[in-house]
Amino acid sequence: MTRTLYLYYRPGCSLCEEMHRELLECNSGGDFELELIDIDGNEALVSRYGHKIPVLADSEDYEICHFFLDRQALSAYFATH
């Protein structure tokens, strides 16, 4: 079963672009689908994630990592979820 992960980001954010690129690289096997969510324009998301973007989370809003892609945290997430 393919899982969906969510990358909360802001357009023009270099950290966001880097995490997105790294996620695409590490998903060459198609282990997950990635949905990009622009937090700008949504006050609740800006309030929740504004100072931590990019944030990688799952459908339950479990935060896997933020700022930089933590490959160990991502592997641990897949091992336990």
Side-chain angles (χ1 to χ4, degrees):
M1 177 173 100
T2 303
R3 296 177 208 167
T4 301
L5 299 180
Y6 300 89
L7 179 61
Y8 294 92
Y9 78 101
R10 278 198 167 105
C13 166
S14 61
L15 289 177
C16 300
E17 292 168 1
E18 181 178 337
M19 186 183 287
H20 183 218
R21 180 185 50 78
E22 289 180 13
L23 284 164
L24 293 175
E25 287 174 4
C26 75
N27 192 32
S28 61
D31 297 325
F32 58 89
E33 292 182 17
L34 184 63
E35 186 172 323
L36 302 175
I37 300 175
D38 179 355
I39 67 166
D40 288 338
N42 184 319
E43 282 187 43
L45 292 178
V46 169
S47 177
R48 183 173 187 168
Y49 297 120
H51 298 290
K52 294 196 297 188
I53 63 159
V55 175
L56 181 63
D58 69 5
S59 61
E60 305 293 319
D61 288 329
Y62 172 82
E63 292 182 25
I64 299 166
C65 59
H66 56 276
F67 298 127
F68 301 98
L69 179 60
D70 183 337
R71 291 176 188 255
Q72 288 181 331
L74 185 59
S75 293
Y77 169 79
F78 281 117
T80 59
H81 289 84

